[in-house]
Amino acid sequence: MFRRIKILLIAFVLIVGGSACSAPDDGTSTAEALAKALASHTVGDLSFDKPATDVQKVLTELAKSIDPVWPTVAVSGVELSEDTARVSLNYTWTLPDTTKPWTYSTGADMKRDGKSWIITWSPEMVEPKLEAGERFKLSTTNGQRADILSAGGEAIVKDRPVHIVGINKDGLSGAEAEASAKALAGVLEIDAAVYVAKVKAYGPVAFVDAITLREEAFNALDQNKLKAVPGILVVRDTMPLAPTRTFASALLGSVHEATAEDIEKSAGKVIPGQIVGSGGLQAAFDAQLSGTPGITLSAVPAASATAAEGTATAGATDGPGALPADPNAPPKILFAVDPVDGKDLKTTLVPAMQSAAEQALESVKTPSSIVIMRPSTGAILASANGPDSNGYNTAFLGQYAPGSTFKMASSLGLIRMGMGPESIVSCTPEFTADGKKFFNAPGYAPDALGQVSLTTAIAHSCNTAFVSQFEKLSQGKLADAAGALGIGMENDLGLDAFMGVVPRDSKGTEHAASLIGQGKVQVSPLAMATMMSSMVKGTVVTPVLIDGHDGKSKSAEGAVLTAKEAGELRILMRAVVTEGYLSTLADLPGAEAIGKTGTAEFGTENPPRTHSWVIAAQGDIAVAVFVEDGDLGAITGGPLAKAALLAAK
């Protein structure tokens, strides 16, 4: 028992002795705790020469003035001198839209207090130039938004004059402002309830914009009615705009001042007042066009930070005895990065051709499009959508049966089986494939029936001649032929585009229908312009919209198109102009025109409604014309194709 007590006493003495002999904090632990406290802007249990609550208040206000940005802090050294210590601190800031962090070193002084340390509070331990009574302010400035250029390098989208029309609530009562909002909505023909709600939500002296109009649209308003609205205010400004409201709108997209939703979705990359892209190329290449914002981190009087950030208390100081910073003092710049202007985006579009194509479609009362391409380069010279496409990019995204224009892919499949332009096929009034009857189009020329050449079958678009080959030309070989002409290729244009699909597993009547561009064959007008371009060039053409943009294209499955095959296809399409349905192109001046018409049935009506198609080319110009609900291709699409080819001269 005595031995056990003795052992316990020895152990106790060792423990007490060890504690008594432990070295006091050399400042390192306190310095690390300080760095952690500054990085989290939370004082914790550290001791300062001022009340900890005062220090915490300053740190909190500093953090709020720049929330959510805040630096990391690390100790780089502690220099002891008797009962004092100097702590060296390294700061690293990751600021929005900057590629390199902002770094600097500063320090803090400490005094020993027995076995612990008291830290001398100073704003300089956060930033060397920061003074008592100052807070942070982060400002962002935008660079100049770049232009979208035409093929010739001229700006398509550039700053053009606009008028921002709205109500100035200053001097109006609530009832008067509401009445003015209703009156203005009537003049502008906008939703009155929506605008009234917007006016009510704004402050009592705010300008509440109703609409932004191009100069010509503003001038078309009834100016007397406009001026009669109490509180009316019209602000002149500029915005990046295309030549007209409808000009290539589905391709180009539009721009607008960033909304709260834009800012929230951007995770801080978009700031209030910034112009951002919406749809089309403006959205797809927004980062390139907008450039990189510049930022400025300043130290400002607390009252200024309050006005800017709505956080700190006006007139706040940094503890007892500290004088507030001069509220009229200019901002003290601590760190700045200049904005970088956006970079122009050069397209392949030719404005004169684009305008002509849009004008040709102005009176078409159904979704429609015209695509004009240059076969030698694949450049998309124009891509127009009719007014009834209602902003949808029918040219790129439409998915439709191509009808008889697809017979060119079927012809290539037959050529690869050994046929040629003079090969004989059977064109009968009707043909039954796997139990389903197929007929020629109404009004088919009787003198083009019977045993005719493949050239005649194409010139007059004989359905039965092609359907009769359904047991000879397999669906897989048909898909290969279509792929050789560009249908189904993968290619990043910079915008989403559907390049077509030809199923490989179609059988029976569905396979037979595929031979005349029905069944489950689907294409877009762009895909058909690509097909036409490939037959002109003699090899598959990859469409291009953005100069220098690598589309990382990948051809569809199947053997490549040869020059000989393309030559024979052009012979067939020349006959469509000289003896078939596209005689309207025969008198075009210049090189010989070639083409193919197409009519594709859709819907459940009897008789069925039809898509109208024409693909055509002259020289180094290829066009595809599509009208969703039209007549025969030659009737509806022929004149539009002619207008497009004339516009390209």
Side-chain angles (χ1 to χ4, degrees), residues 462-481:
C462 180
N463 289 337
T464 59
F466 285 88
V467 173
S468 67
Q469 303 297 313
F470 86 106
E471 291 182 327
K472 299 176 183 178
L473 179 58
S474 70
Q475 185 72 18
K477 294 295 184 182
L478 177 63
D480 286 344

Side-chain angles (χ1 to χ4, degrees), residues 505-549:
D505 57 356
S506 294
K507 295 179 174 62
T509 56
E510 188 178 283
H511 165 49
S514 295
L515 291 165
I516 56 172
Q518 298 269 188
K520 292 185 178 179
V521 177
Q522 297 278 286
V523 297
S524 65
L526 173 64
M528 294 310 289
T530 300
M531 178 177 172
M532 186 74 243
S533 295
S534 298
M535 291 185 285
V536 171
K537 186 175 182 179
T539 185
V540 68
V541 171
T542 301
V544 178
L545 177 63
I546 304 300
D547 187 37
H549 178 71

Side-chain angles (χ1 to χ4, degrees), residues 191-243:
D191 191 313
V194 172
Y195 185 53
V196 167
K198 184 177 180 180
V199 169
K200 286 182 177 180
Y202 275 56
V205 295
F207 168 64
V208 188
D209 60 297
I211 196 170
T212 300
L213 296 172
R214 291 172 177 267
E215 194 160 34
E216 57 271 22
F218 175 78
N219 292 336
L221 294 174
D222 188 322
Q223 299 296 316
N224 290 327
K225 289 184 178 179
L226 204 61
K227 292 175 183 176
V229 177
I232 182 69
L233 179 61
V234 179
V235 179
R236 295 176 181 271
D237 201 352
T238 61
M239 286 189 71
L241 298 171

Side-chain angles (χ1 to χ4, degrees), residues 561-603:
L561 179 69
T562 68
K564 181 177 182 299
E565 291 168 343
E568 292 185 333
L569 293 174
R570 292 194 297 270
I571 291 172
L572 299 179
M573 289 188 292
R574 177 57 181 166
V576 179
V577 176
T578 58
E579 59 182 274
Y581 292 135
L582 276 180
S583 58
T584 184
L585 305 184
D587 62 351
L588 282 172
E592 292 183 343
I594 61 176
K596 181 70 187 78
T597 60
T599 307
E601 297 179 349
F602 72 98

Side-chain angles (χ1 to χ4, degrees), residues 46-94:
L46 289 174
S47 298
F48 291 86
D49 62 343
K50 294 180 180 179
T53 53
D54 288 353
V55 176
Q56 181 62 66
K57 180 180 179 182
V58 174
L59 284 176
T60 298
E61 291 176 351
L62 283 169
K64 284 184 177 180
S65 69
I66 200 171
D67 184 63
V69 179
W70 194 254
T72 60
V73 188
V75 176
S76 63
V78 178
E79 184 178 345
L80 293 172
S81 178
E82 296 183 355
D83 289 336
T84 63
R86 177 68 175 174
V87 180
S88 297
L89 300 167
N90 289 342
Y91 277 72
T92 302
W93 294 75
T94 301

Side-chain angles (χ1 to χ4, degrees), residues 17-328:
S19 299
C21 295
S22 61
D25 176 17
D26 62 359
T28 302
S29 296
T30 303
E32 294 289 349
L34 174 62
K36 184 177 180 181
L38 293 171
S40 62
H41 43 81
T42 303
V43 169
D45 57 1
L46 289 174
S47 298
F48 291 86
D49 62 343
K50 294 180 180 179
T53 53
D54 288 353
V55 176
Q56 181 62 66
K57 180 180 179 182
V58 174
L59 284 176
T60 298
E61 291 176 351
L62 283 169
K64 284 184 177 180
S65 69
I66 200 171
D67 184 63
V69 179
W70 194 254
T72 60
V73 188
V75 176
S76 63
V78 178
E79 184 178 345
L80 293 172
S81 178
E82 296 183 355
D83 289 336
T84 63
R86 177 68 175 174
V87 180
S88 297
L89 300 167
N90 289 342
Y91 277 72
T92 302
W93 294 75
T94 301
L95 297 169
D97 296 310
T98 55
T99 55
K100 292 184 179 180
W102 173 38
T103 60
Y104 57 83
S105 297
T106 186
D109 293 318
M110 303 191 301
K111 293 182 180 179
R112 193 185 295 278
D113 180 26
K115 297 179 181 179
S116 59
W117 294 88
I118 294 177
I119 303 164
T120 302
W121 164 252
S122 169
E124 295 177 12
M125 72 171 63
V126 178
E127 207 286 332
K129 297 178 182 177
L130 192 65
E131 297 180 12
E134 291 182 331
R135 301 293 177 258
F136 290 125
K137 181 180 179 182
L138 185 63
S139 304
T140 307
T141 54
N142 295 312
Q144 178 68 36
R145 190 174 181 88
D147 295 327
I148 295 180
L149 308 179
S150 70
E154 301 88 9
I156 298 175
V157 176
K158 61 183 180 181
D159 282 342
R160 302 179 193 272
V162 295
H163 294 72
I164 305 171
V165 185
I167 297 294
N168 181 9
K169 294 179 68 176
D170 191 12
L172 298 178
S173 68
E176 289 171 336
E178 182 176 345
S180 291
K182 290 179 180 177
L184 181 58
V187 176
L188 299 176
E189 297 183 354
I190 62 174
D191 191 313
V194 172
Y195 185 53
V196 167
K198 184 177 180 180
V199 169
K200 286 182 177 180
Y202 275 56
V205 295
F207 168 64
V208 188
D209 60 297
I211 196 170
T212 300
L213 296 172
R214 291 172 177 267
E215 194 160 34
E216 57 271 22
F218 175 78
N219 292 336
L221 294 174
D222 188 322
Q223 299 296 316
N224 290 327
K225 289 184 178 179
L226 204 61
K227 292 175 183 176
V229 177
I232 182 69
L233 179 61
V234 179
V235 179
R236 295 176 181 271
D237 201 352
T238 61
M239 286 189 71
L241 298 171
T244 67
R245 182 180 60 82
T246 59
F247 185 94
S249 58
L251 274 185
L252 300 176
S254 60
V255 296
H256 62 272
E257 188 171 317
T259 63
E261 184 179 2
D262 292 323
I263 295 168
E264 183 179 354
K265 285 183 177 179
S266 74
K269 292 184 178 180
V270 174
I271 62 170
Q274 184 173 338
I275 299 298
V276 296
S278 176
L281 296 175
Q282 291 284 7
F285 291 86
D286 187 66
Q288 174 180 328
L289 292 166
S290 61
T292 304
I295 64 165
T296 302
L297 182 59
S298 307
V300 298
S304 300
T306 301
E309 308 295 339
T311 54
T313 302
T317 65
D318 287 351
L323 295 175
D326 179 2
N328 298 315

